[in-house]
Structures are given as C-alpha cells and as structure tokens.
Amino acid sequence: MDGTNERNARSATAGGGADAPGPEERGFWDLPPSLRWTTYGVVGVVVLLVVTSLTGVVVVRHSWPETSGRMELDGLDATVEVVRDGAGIPQIYADTTHDLMYAQGFVHAQERFFEMDVRRHATAGRLAELFGEAGLESDLVVRTLGWRRVAEQELTLLEPATRDALDAYAEGVNAYLGDRTPGEMSLEYTLLGLTGLDYAPEKWTAVDSVAWLKAMAWDLRSNVDDEATRAVTAALVGADRAAELYPAYDSEAHPPIVDRGAVVDGVFDPEATETGSRLRAAPGPRVTRALAGAVDVIGNATSLLGGGAGADEGIGSNGWVVAGSRTSTGAPILANDPHLGVSLPGVWMQVGLHCRRVTSACPYDVAGFSFSGVPGVVIGHNADIAWGFTNLGADVSDLYVERVVGDAWLRDGRPRPLVQRLERLEVRGDEPLEITVRATRHGPLLSDLVELDESSDRVDLTSDGLLESVVDAGATLAGAEPDETEGGDRAGWRPGVALAWTALRPRNTADALFALNRADDWTSFRAAMADFAVPGQNVVYADTAGHIGYQATGAIPRRRPGHDGTLPVAGWRSVNDWERRPVPFQALPWSFDPPAGAIVTANQQPVDPDGYPYALGEDWARGYRSSRIADLLDMDQELSVATMQTIQLDDRSAWAATLTPYLMEVGLPAGYYSDGQALLADWDQRQGADSAAAAVFNAAWRQILLHTFDDELPPALRPTDGARWWDVVAGLLERPNSPWWDDVATEEVETRDEILRAAMMDGRDELTRLLSPDPAEWSWGDLHELSLRSATLGESGVNIVERLFNRDGWDGAGGGSLVDATGWDAQQGYGVTTAPSMRMVVGLDDLDAARWINLTGVSGHAFHPHYTDQTDLWARGEYLEWAFSRPAVLRAAEETLVLTPLD
C-alpha cells in the first residue's frame, strides 16, 4: 500500500484470534468496538476509486497540504516562513508571538485536522455525533466526568499571554478551514460523506486546545483502575491471594529517582508524617458489584494516548540526563522516549517555532514534539535548555464508595444533596440521549452509568467486563468500620461509586507549557513546572551552561492517615476526604547537579519514602527499565549522543534472565518439543527482531500466564505482560506448590513444574501454527509485529476501507518493560500494543547534532509520502538529524511556504 515492508497476506491468516489485534492496539482514540458500516454504496465507491486509479489519485491528493509557494491569509501581522525538510517537518519563522502561534495552528490543521477534529469531539463527549452509537459509550463517560466543562473553567485562570497564544493558534486553524469543504481537508471526511454524514467542522476555539490536556491527564491518571480491581480480586480469590498479585515495590533492587528528595524546610504539615491505621473491612456483594461496574465504565472512556492507565506499564516512558563530566564532549546530554499506544497518525508532530528576533515580545526559539491541536512544544529544547517527560505515576485519583439515598448521599450520618446537571447527547442516525449527571463532594457518580446500562437498550458499558464476573463475596475497602459495610437497600441506601480526580479541579497547566518553552535556566524552568498540575510528570532537565536537573510535577492529593490510595474508600465518612490543598510544589522531589552526574527516570518510585513526609502513591513501574538504564550508563565513561541512542534501543530482558533457568530444567520429549529449549541454552536474553530464542521465550511466557491465572481470574483481571507479572511469577517460582499453579478446571492438582512443561509444549505448538514447524524460520519480529491502525475508519469493519488507512508489516524488537519498551498483551497475542512514540537525544554542546525520530510521520493524510515515512527508520533503530539553527534548517530545507497577510 505504501511500500513499507507490508505483509498483509500473512497478517490476515497467521494465528487467527490469538494474533488478532486487541483493543489496546487500536490507537490513541481507542473508539468503542467497530465502527461498522452497512452502506454497500460506500464499499462500491471505494472500489471504484481504487480501480479507477486516476480518479483515486485525485481524491486522495485533494486534501494534501500546500507546502511551497506563497499563500495570503487574513489575520497575519507580517510574513511567516514555513520551512520543511525531507521528512516534511516544519520549522516556522515569524516576527511576533501572534503570527508564530497562528502559523502553527495553520500548519497543524494542514497536516492533521481530521485527527484534531476527532480529538475535540472525544474530549467534549461528542463522538456519537460523527459515528453514531459506536461513540456513545465513550461520550457518556466523558460527559459524566465533564472534561470540557473543566477546560472552560481553566480558560478563565490562564495568564493573558497564554490566552492570546491559544486564540492566535485558533485563528490559524480557522484560517485553514476557511471556505474549504470537508473533502478538501481529509480523505476521511470524503468517505464519511458517502455514508450520508452531512457535516461541516465548527470553528476551532481555545477551549478545544485546553480540553486536550484533560485527555492526556486521563490516560496518565495512575492507579484508579487498580484500586477497584484490587478490591474485586480480593472478593474473588480472597485477600491473601489477591495480595500476591500486587507485590510491593522493591526499592532496594530498583532505587528511586532521588534518595529523599530536596525538600524546602517549613512546608510540612506535621500530621502528614503520621502513618495512621489502615482500616480494612469486607463490604457486601452490592458494593463489590458497584466497584466492578465502575471498572467497566472507566474502560469505556476514550483513550487518546492508547493502552490506558491500566496497561501494566505500557503507558510509561524513559528519560534520563547525564552531566558533562560523564560525556565525551564535556556538555550534558538528555534522552527521552515516551511509551504510548501505537496509532496512526502518531500522537506527536515534530515542529520548530522560531521568532526571527528573540525579544520579550516574541520570546520563542524552540523545537521538539507537539500535540496537534495544542500550540507550543511539549517535549524538546530551546536555545538554552532541553527537557523530557516521563509519567510520574503519582496517585491522583480515588474511588469513593458512597451511600446514596434517592437524590442525596450520606456524610457522617447526615443526608447531603447530590449536585446534578442534565447532559444531552446527540447521536448520528438516532434520537438524542439525555442523562442526569450526579456528583458528591468527591466527584461524579460513575455508578449511575452502570444503572443506565441496566435500564437502557442503547448503551452497553459493562458487557464482557468485570461486572459479569463478580460473585457474591466480600471485597476490601479502606476507611470503613467492619459493621458499616453491610446493608444496601435494606439499610435504606444504595452503594454508589464516585471518582475523585485532581484533573477535575480547574488549574492553569496551559500556562506551564508556554513558560517551559520560554525558560532559559533552572530557576525559570522550575517556575514553569510549578504550574504543571496535571498529569503529574517526571521532568529531566539540561542546559547549555552545563547543569542537569530533575523535577517532579503535579497536583497530588494529601490523604489523611489510614487512607493510602491503594483501595476504594468509604465516602460516607468525612475523615476519608482529601485535604483541601495538594502536596506543595516546593516539597515535590527534585534534584540539581547531583554528585553522581546522572538522573534516570523510567516511571519508577520517585523518592525513598523513608523520611519523606508525603505519600505520593504505591503503584509505580517496577524499576527494571530504570535499573538497566543506570547500569548501561555506568558501563561507559565517555557517553555520547550515539551511546544514548544505543541505550534507547537496548532489548535485554531482565525477566528472561530469571525465568530461563527454570525453563531449561523442564523435561521435554526429545526432538520436536525440545527444539525451542535448545535455542534457549546459549541465549543472551536479548529480544532483537531476528531472535528465534526470544520467540521461544515469549511463547512460553505467554502460556505460563494463561495456564496459571486464566482459570481463576475473569477476563478483566487476567495478566497481559509487564513487570508486575514478572514479580508475581518470580514469587511463585520459589513456591512450586502454590495454589496459583493448580488448574482448578482439572481434577488433578498441578504444580509449578507441570505448568512450566505444559507452557513450553503449548508455546512450541503455537510457534508452529503462527510461524513455521522449522525453528530456523522463527524470529521474534515476525511474531511481535507492529501494525499501525487508524482508530476511526481503520476500525470501520469494512476491509477495503481499513486498508486505505492502516499500515502494517514492521518487525518489532524489544518487549514489555524492556528499555526498548514495545508492549504486548498476552491475552490477545504478540502484536505490539504500546511502544516508544518517539525517541530524542539532545547534546547541549551542539543543538544541530541532536537526533529525533517519530513513530509515524508528520502527515495525517493516508498515502501522503510523510504518512509513515519515519516508521521504517524507527523500526530499524535509526534517527533523523535535528536541525535547529537557521543556517542548519535552511541547509536541510526542501520546501518553503511563505504565508503573507491578506491585503
């Protein structure tokens, strides 16, 4: 389709259901199941366009952007240049901040407007207007949470300069829209029009940009899923066995980012250091079912980054910085690669924003990775500093189990009125749906959506989810007395589940993005980060003066003693409420020019809890990636940009080093079944795309997970892959007779060795079925394939339409929780579900020698040369040169578009 090493025929036949793309592979929109069309005319027209190649070319190219020549635009103050290199990456030059942001809005819309439009529909809870009932479940959750309502409130909190930049960006987007028809904006609109959609995009507004920050915060929201699943798992298998599935973080094996954090004296509340008692009780089955329903509802919210927060470390990142004392150039080097869901187009768009003369009136000279729909640069560098983000993973949300009586909720034994509002959802091809959103002081009631599901034949928020698997058993609940949890209707109240989440409290995070782009030293950088409220991030820093640093950011709630955030909370007791103010920014962990000369962040525990006065959370990435990166940095005394690229591509599996000796001890029949075991004998535990041993290991690992846990856990609780399950199984390997090894569906009592043997044999059979009977033809890359799917028309259910927008056929290296973190879902198969969404390495001695690569390309237009042109390089571990100075940008230039004011 686009000449990028596709293997469509094999992909369509290999492996059946086990290899079919799972829901996590659908990309950063992750729309509800299949936007299936029954309009045969659409298929006929598409076939006609393909067969009639000339017409097809005209229609496909109709929406491609103009990238050279001159164009007059109303609203510009002066001339703007858009210089594009061979990868189509735009570098924008302007004289004023207004023109710079205006031009960025115009260029984003040129390349990605359909993506931007779907995003704003998603963040406003209006997908059903475009896609009918297929978008309704997501809309219901987003409307209940009120993302756009919060964004509208945040707009009033922003600095005038931020608001001006957002408005200028919107002007640029709207200049692109102009009098263009939808078909002139994207091929997707053309095909949607053939289904009968009569649609003209609305003008872009500043709120559309701010609302994207809510979606980003949602996908990086930390452990709210784990809170409920911990409780429900305890209900299903008992509290002790459930605890085995959530092992504690090992801070000795995997040191935190900073030992104790640099904390400014005098900011602590003395009571915050008290550990308090951890109250636990066993609520009745009604509460358990309410929590299970809440998990199902959360899973239906649009995931704009892909994978979701419950993706078991798939949504994560690597970021590190080293001081000049440890580099070959004597200057700091910073590296970053965020791990997000795979999607097409990719979540990032590279861009440079340059004031021709940097002044207080036009202070920007910055380049890096942007979100289409949002002005500025999110990750990158300017002329003075570089920065990178990894998800902090702090616990910023809680599920509160409420006692609901009619339109009231109980608080300390007294009824309080529920806050209510009416939401009307327009549904393409159907009648509108009206819902009443109700909320306690803690947040909106997700449980009302479960009741809506049960009473309406139009929505399906819980099917095939956790609710259907819950049995009448006790669960674990924090902050309740044992005699308080029983009752339900018999006690005059019904259990409800409310979501408390810091992102539902308006904050001025957008100010932080622009301040970060302007920062020129450590002081101004930290001042910018003080406003970065959601999502909480680890931010690594380096500057041209030779300094390095780290700052944790985010509005992190202060919980009272007895409430650690790991479990749902009894909302009827005010003692469980959050404190009024979050953890002070001055008290968040940070580090500046540490003696070790390096700072590594990979979503691990941020600070040693001993002596640190605030509880930031419990559910961190397990630390395998951070420990491996630190070890690799210590191996080289003269680190370079090339060294950092090699580290980003490291594919050694720490888990393989632990598990492989056990697999080698398994007795297998000689010949067919021992072939794979023989490959493991001298394996170096690296998971390169061409490794046959890696294929054997991961096939066995998948079967171990399926054999060990699927017999007792419902689908929503079953293991995928990832380091939490590494730690779980590592503990079980030392207990060969653990009940987890036993398959409850058989009369026999299985032990560890029997399960390992079955896993090796079943893994061998699966490799034969998916790849070949001959081990010489096996490779991990053939099994672990990267497929990029458009989450709208790429999930239409019409094969020929999907083939227009989807691309596949890239051999994947790495694996879940490796430094080269290409995650996969053991319940679905081996295909890549999450991956480094970009990679960048910046040496502060020569910014023109920096390197970057995107998962896809700049363009969001199917068949455009820059649709997936960077994916080939990404898959081979290659990088693009990153020109920054104007002379370097001009040397790399292949096209220049000049935007001039309309006379």
Side-chain angles (χ1 to χ4, degrees):
M1 186 167 298
D2 65 351
T4 51
N5 189 30
E6 295 185 284
R7 294 191 299 271
N8 289 321
R10 189 182 69 195
S11 297
T13 58
D19 234 22
E24 289 81 9
E25 295 179 82
R26 291 179 180 166
F28 61 89
W29 293 319
D30 197 21
L31 292 177
S34 294
L35 303 170
R36 300 194 180 278
W37 300 343
T38 59
T39 309
Y40 291 104
V42 176
V43 180
V45 171
V46 172
V47 171
L48 181 62
L49 294 180
V50 173
V51 173
T52 311
S53 58
L54 180 60
T55 303
V57 168
V58 170
V59 171
V60 166
R61 291 176 176 265
H62 196 44
S63 58
W64 287 10
E66 296 179 52
T67 54
S68 62
R70 300 180 71 86
M71 187 181 299
E72 291 186 340
L73 297 177
D74 188 20
L76 282 176
D77 297 329
T79 298
V80 176
E81 297 169 277
V82 182
V83 182
R84 286 177 166 87
D85 65 9
I89 298 168
Q91 303 276 352
I92 302 172
Y93 292 88
D95 293 327
T96 66
T97 296
H98 170 273
D99 283 1
L100 195 62
M101 299 304 165
Y102 179 110
Q104 186 183 14
F106 183 84
V107 170
H108 272 172
Q110 278 188 306
E111 302 287 0
R112 302 279 191 100
F113 183 73
F114 182 76
E115 172 194 23
M116 293 164 60
D117 195 22
V118 173
R119 262 186 196 165
R120 69 167 164 178
H121 277 79
T123 58
R126 295 175 54 195
L127 284 172
E129 295 178 18
L130 288 178
F131 303 112
E133 289 198 353
L136 194 54
E137 280 79 14
S138 175
D139 286 352
L140 285 167
V141 180
V142 171
R143 290 288 188 94
T144 297
L145 297 178
W147 288 0
R148 189 172 180 88
R149 291 168 57 87
V150 178
E152 290 169 346
Q153 297 172 55
E154 289 186 343
L155 202 63
T156 67
L157 304 178
L158 299 177
E159 295 287 342
T162 301
R163 179 60 190 267
D164 289 346
L166 289 165
D167 287 341
Y169 180 90
E171 285 182 55
V173 176
N174 294 329
Y176 167 78
L177 297 181
D179 57 1
R180 285 181 172 85
T181 65
E184 292 173 315
M185 299 176 197
S186 81
L187 179 61
E188 287 92 336
Y189 287 128
T190 298
L191 296 184
L192 286 171
L194 295 173
T195 71
L197 179 67
D198 183 13
Y199 173 74
E202 300 168 0
K203 295 294 186 183
W204 194 265
T205 70
V207 175
D208 295 327
S209 296
V210 175
W212 165 243
L213 299 177
K214 300 295 106 183
M216 184 169 65
W218 176 256
D219 282 357
L220 302 177
R221 66 192 177 274
S222 186
N223 79 332
V224 66
D225 310 72
D226 287 337
E227 285 183 21
T229 55
R230 272 191 179 95
V232 175
T233 302
L236 296 173
V237 301
D240 291 341
R241 296 188 69 203
E244 294 178 325
L245 303 184
Y246 294 89
Y249 183 91
D250 188 345
S251 57
E252 291 187 6
H254 306 295
I257 298 172
V258 295
D259 288 339
R260 295 181 182 273
V263 180
V264 177
D265 292 336
V267 300
F268 301 139
D269 176 352
E271 294 183 359
T273 63
E274 298 177 6
T275 58
S277 60
R278 296 175 54 141
L279 302 177
R280 298 289 183 265
R286 297 181 65 82
V287 172
T288 305
R289 287 196 292 269
L291 292 170
V295 172
D296 290 344
V297 165
I298 290 169
N300 275 283
T302 295
S303 177
L304 293 178
L305 299 180
D312 192 19
E313 212 172 311
I315 299 294
S317 305
N318 301 323
W320 66 89
V321 60
V322 295
S325 60
R326 300 186 57 182
T327 70
S328 59
T329 64
I333 303 176
L334 183 146
N336 192 201
D337 56 296
H339 311 147
L340 303 172
V342 296
S343 59
L344 189 60
V347 69
W348 302 107
M349 179 175 163
Q350 296 135 299
V351 69
L353 302 173
H354 308 279
C355 294
R356 292 192 180 97
R357 191 165 68 90
V358 177
T359 65
S360 58
C362 192
Y364 297 98
D365 188 18
V366 61
F369 295 84
S370 67
F371 290 134
S372 57
V374 180
V377 168
V378 179
I379 295 175
H381 69 79
N382 59 30
D384 300 297
I385 74 169
W387 65 91
F389 286 170
T390 67
N391 195 31
L392 176 61
D395 190 352
V396 296
S397 56
D398 280 319
L399 292 175
Y400 281 84
V401 177
E402 312 285 15
R403 290 177 166 180
V404 179
V405 182
D407 285 330
W409 65 291
L410 300 182
R411 178 175 168 81
D412 295 332
R414 298 175 56 190
R416 304 292 176 92
L418 290 165
V419 177
Q420 302 186 54
R421 71 175 189 272
L422 184 67
E423 293 281 352
R424 178 184 174 90
L425 287 74
E426 301 292 335
V427 183
R428 178 189 171 193
D430 207 338
E431 294 296 316
L433 179 65
E434 291 189 347
I435 64 168
T436 299
V437 176
R438 305 189 300 169
T440 71
R441 102 186 282 275
H442 302 120
L445 285 171
L446 300 178
S447 48
D448 280 0
L449 291 176
V450 179
E451 294 186 14
L452 174 67
D453 180 299
E454 294 172 347
S455 63
S456 172
D457 59 0
R458 298 185 61 185
V459 298
D460 193 7
L461 289 157
T462 63
S463 69
D464 300 322
L466 191 56
L467 183 59
E468 292 186 355
S469 303
V470 170
V471 297
D472 289 351
T476 306
L477 187 67
E481 298 294 346
D483 61 352
E484 290 184 305
T485 59
E486 299 298 332
D489 285 336
R490 292 168 297 180
W493 55 269
R494 295 171 59 86
V497 180
L499 174 66
W501 178 35
T502 56
L504 298 183
R505 301 181 178 185
R507 297 289 294 267
N508 62 323
T509 299
D511 283 337
L513 288 177
F514 292 99
L516 177 59
N517 284 200
R518 299 188 301 264
D520 59 6
D521 60 13
W522 173 248
T523 300
S524 55
F525 163 79
R526 288 198 76 208
M529 291 296 91
D531 287 330
F532 202 99
V534 289
Q537 296 288 288
N538 299 305
V539 191
V540 288
Y541 165 94
D543 63 35
T544 55
H547 302 292
I548 66 171
Y550 157 78
Q551 177 67 60
T553 72
I556 303 170
R558 292 165 59 195
R559 297 172 176 85
R560 307 201 180 180
H563 171 18
D564 63 6
T566 60
L567 293 163
V569 188
W572 58 85
R573 303 183 71 204
S574 61
V575 70
N576 295 321
D577 293 348
W578 290 351
E579 298 282 2
R580 188 169 65 90
R581 296 184 181 278
V583 175
F585 174 76
Q586 297 91 335
L588 293 177
W590 60 273
S591 178
F592 183 66
D593 285 342
I599 304 169
V600 176
T601 74
N603 318 114
Q604 79 270 38
Q605 188 180 63
V607 63
D608 186 343
D610 292 340
Y612 186 75
Y614 297 104
L616 301 181
E618 298 286 340
D619 294 299
W620 315 108
R622 311 305 290 189
Y624 290 96
R625 285 182 286 115
S626 59
S627 293
R628 176 63 175 168
I629 292 167
D631 289 345
L632 291 171
L633 290 175
D634 288 342
M635 291 179 184
D636 194 331
Q637 297 303 310
E638 290 198 350
L639 300 165
S640 65
V641 168
T643 306
M644 302 308 183
Q645 294 174 213
T646 301
I647 293 175
Q648 285 183 332
L649 299 169
D650 182 75
D651 55 21
R652 184 181 183 276
S653 170
W655 177 230
T658 299
L659 180 59
T660 301
Y662 288 89
L663 300 180
M664 292 302 298
E665 293 177 2
V666 173
L668 295 173
Y672 174 83
Y673 281 114
S674 65
D675 284 343
Q677 193 178 50
L679 290 173
L680 296 178
D682 57 356
W683 182 40
D684 60 4
Q685 288 88 50
R686 293 189 175 276
Q687 297 193 175
D690 59 353
S691 173
V696 173
F697 174 81
N698 285 295
W701 170 230
R702 176 174 186 249
Q703 293 299 327
I704 289 171
L705 292 174
L706 301 184
H707 280 278
T708 307
F709 302 105
D710 282 14
D711 59 322
E712 294 187 72
L713 298 179
L717 300 180
R718 289 172 182 168
T720 55
D721 178 39
R724 175 165 73 90
W725 292 101
W726 295 4
D727 287 351
V728 170
V729 176
L732 297 181
L733 289 172
E734 298 177 359
R735 299 168 52 213
N737 296 311
S738 167
W740 284 112
W741 295 116
D742 178 41
D743 184 350
V744 298
T746 68
E747 294 183 359
E748 296 80 12
V749 177
E750 287 83 6
T751 64
R752 177 197 66 194
D753 294 346
E754 290 168 299
I755 294 301
L756 296 183
R757 184 174 189 271
M760 288 289 286
M761 295 175 71
D762 289 350
R764 199 321 176 186
D765 289 340
E766 188 171 47
L767 291 173
T768 298
R769 184 174 72 254
L770 297 178
L771 299 180
S772 168
D774 183 0
E777 298 181 5
W778 296 347
S779 74
W780 174 229
D782 279 349
L783 204 61
H784 189 50
E785 185 174 298
L786 171 65
S787 297
L788 299 174
R789 302 180 67 86
S790 163
T792 52
L793 275 64
E795 298 291 341
S796 65
V798 179
N799 182 265
I800 194 167
V801 175
E802 291 184 354
R803 288 174 63 85
L804 291 175
F805 298 99
N806 299 337
R807 303 291 183 269
D808 62 19
W810 292 278
D811 292 344
S817 303
L818 278 60
V819 178
D820 186 9
T822 55
W824 51 285
D825 185 344
Q827 298 298 321
Q828 300 292 331
Y830 301 96
V832 176
T833 57
T834 57
S837 55
M838 61 81 159
R839 300 182 180 112
M840 79 168 194
V841 181
V842 181
L844 275 296
D845 63 309
D846 181 1
L847 295 176
D848 288 331
R851 296 292 182 264
W852 60 1
I853 195 69
N854 205 346
L855 175 63
T856 61
V858 165
S859 180
H861 298 281
F863 300 102
H864 192 280
H866 300 312
Y867 191 46
T868 57
D869 58 325
Q870 294 187 51
T871 311
D872 286 334
L873 301 175
W874 180 97
R876 294 197 300 265
E878 298 177 15
Y879 294 68
L880 292 172
E881 294 183 357
W882 184 351
F884 180 72
S885 69
R886 185 170 174 84
V889 169
L890 294 179
R891 284 195 299 272
E894 293 203 359
E895 294 181 299
T896 299
L897 175 67
V898 179
L899 307 177
T900 62
L902 183 65
D903 292 335

